[in-house]
Amino acid sequence: MDDLTALRAAFDGTDPAADARPTPEARQRARVEAIARLKEHETMTRRPLWKRVPVLVAGAATAALAVGAGVIVLPGDDHVGIPLAYAAQPEPIEVTGGDPVDGTERLTELADIAAERGAAPGEGDVAFVSTSDVQLHRLTANAGDEDPPESYGYRFVPYDRTGWEAPNGDVRRDSDPKPPLEAGGAEADHEWFLEQGSESYEDTLHESLVWPADLPTDTEGMLEVLADYGEGPEDESLPALTNAVDRLYESRPLSGSEEAAVQRVLTEVADVSYLGSATDSLGREGELFSFEVEDEGLVTEVRYMYDAEDGALLYRDATLLEEAPEYGDAADFGLEYPLLTEQVGFVWSGWVGAIGERP
């Protein structure tokens, strides 16, 4: 039992705030204030393959979490780290514009703007990235009876994440869920799933997942680095390159010229559309671009929102348009396509002196 629950229990039902929940406006103000404090104060405190929609399958004996191309099978009593907090389905970000148009020229213009931005902020050689995001988790479970019926549930989970990556590949990732706004599904079958909380882990990456100390600033060189990300031969397919771009943004800060090279790679390898101006979930305005990625039975629309003034990435999301039967059916969960599966707001990225330091 946490402190708040204990306090309310002590009031024995007389707590006037027992059913109170913060309004969306209050949560938005809290986010903005947190971002401002992050930039103003100095404090010392204490992801993988192409992201498919996580589908968690729980039974009496086994639990399987599908994240990316692989499936991890764990003992039934080994919880997989799904956090306690769940949120209602996020609203799509607001977009102002007409019909989508070819985005090659506009994204190239933004790359020219980004190239003039200069070095990434901060001091030191440890990369620090902070994000605020929402992920969709879909759950299929049974209560452990003999030949039990399956029940389906889903959660849009909000996170605050921070990550550090040192030049030698040492990493730390902190993942903190936000308070619940809504919980649904057959909870009796999913009790173990509801018990999970925040987590932090440290590891050393395989050398194939460590980015070069000096990233190239030309298009051809950046394409080669992105295609070489991960174990195995170089892969210039759009799913592999999109995955590498996402991992790069989540792993380290980029200088203006490095980000410009990434943007130019996207114009070369994808059919990029320009959707217009947009306002992200943190209230920031930018230019929104999209393209579709087809990968082994999954069709996903990926969108990136860049700051019009300096070309920096502010936000990205992913929307599942189609999926092969072996990956599931949104209708089983009471959902439908197109299905927004991921929203990521990039709060701050830069350099710090050591793992655990914050800007």
Side-chain angles (χ1 to χ4, degrees):
M1 178 180 294
D2 58 42
D3 291 344
L4 180 59
T5 304
L7 179 61
R8 287 180 171 169
F11 274 108
D12 194 25
T14 63
D15 180 7
D19 297 320
R21 296 188 179 200
T23 65
E25 293 78 11
R27 290 193 299 273
Q28 178 64 27
R29 285 196 301 273
R31 284 182 177 181
V32 173
E33 290 171 2
I35 295 169
R37 291 193 187 100
L38 180 65
K39 294 181 178 179
E40 291 173 2
H41 297 282
E42 292 187 359
T43 19
M44 295 284 294
T45 67
R46 93 136 182 112
R47 239 167 51 159
L49 301 172
W50 170 248
K51 283 189 178 177
R52 298 198 174 120
V53 185
V55 179
L56 194 63
V57 183
T62 61
L65 175 61
V67 183
V71 176
I72 304 171
V73 179
L74 302 171
D77 59 354
D78 190 350
H79 300 163
V80 221
I82 304 300
L84 173 66
Y86 305 113
Q89 183 171 353
E91 292 292 330
I93 65 173
E94 180 182 347
V95 182
T96 303
D99 294 333
V101 298
D102 185 285
T104 304
E105 181 177 355
R106 180 57 185 145
L107 189 52
T108 300
E109 292 173 352
L110 273 181
D112 293 338
I113 293 172
E116 302 298 322
R117 192 174 71 229
E123 296 181 357
D125 59 2
V126 173
F128 174 86
V129 178
S130 171
T131 63
S132 175
D133 59 272
V134 177
Q135 303 284 336
L136 169 62
H137 297 273
R138 294 187 293 179
L139 182 73
T140 302
N142 61 61
D145 301 326
E146 185 176 348
D147 194 24
E150 289 185 336
S151 59
Y152 298 88
Y154 66 90
R155 303 290 187 271
F156 287 88
V157 185
Y159 297 90
D160 284 330
R161 302 185 202 264
T162 49
W164 293 264
E165 185 168 327
N168 65 349
D170 287 348
V171 297
R172 172 174 154 183
R173 308 283 189 229
D174 292 354
S175 180
D176 299 302
K178 296 175 181 158
L181 301 177
E182 179 180 316
E187 293 185 20
D189 294 348
H190 307 160
E191 289 178 356
W192 65 269
F193 177 76
L194 300 173
E195 294 173 355
Q196 306 309 301
S198 300
E199 60 182 11
S200 177
Y201 75 89
E202 297 185 13
D203 201 355
T204 300
L205 298 174
H206 185 275
E207 60 182 7
S208 67
L209 302 177
V210 179
W211 298 102
D214 296 314
L215 289 171
T217 58
D218 64 291
T219 308
E220 184 177 349
M222 181 60 75
L223 176 60
E224 183 177 347
V225 166
L226 294 172
D228 196 39
Y229 180 76
E231 298 184 70
E234 289 188 5
D235 188 349
E236 294 189 6
S237 68
L238 185 55
L241 293 174
T242 304
N243 172 64
V245 168
D246 290 345
R247 301 293 78 75
L248 178 60
Y249 275 122
E250 293 176 358
S251 301
R252 64 178 288 173
L254 300 179
S255 69
S257 54
E258 291 168 346
E259 185 146 34
V262 171
Q263 292 163 337
R264 292 185 177 115
V265 167
L266 292 178
T267 65
E268 289 199 359
V269 301
D271 293 327
V272 179
S273 295
Y274 174 56
L275 305 182
S277 300
T279 303
D280 74 359
S281 51
L282 297 179
R284 304 169 300 182
E285 294 184 358
E287 304 289 287
L288 191 63
F289 300 84
S290 74
F291 55 89
E292 290 187 9
V293 179
E294 297 187 24
D295 181 35
E296 298 182 1
L298 298 173
V299 181
T300 304
E301 180 188 27
V302 180
R303 304 194 302 179
Y304 296 92
M305 192 184 87
Y306 291 97
D307 191 316
E309 295 186 0
D310 64 6
L313 181 67
L314 299 175
Y315 166 94
R316 70 169 172 82
D317 63 28
T319 299
L320 186 61
L321 304 179
E322 301 176 25
E323 58 185 329
E326 58 265 31
Y327 297 124
D329 187 340
D332 290 338
F333 301 86
L335 300 168
E336 60 183 19
Y337 308 106
L339 179 57
L340 182 63
T341 62
E342 180 180 34
Q343 290 182 307
V344 182
F346 291 85
V347 179
W348 195 88
S349 62
W351 298 104
V352 296
I355 288 179
E357 286 189 17
R358 293 175 179 267

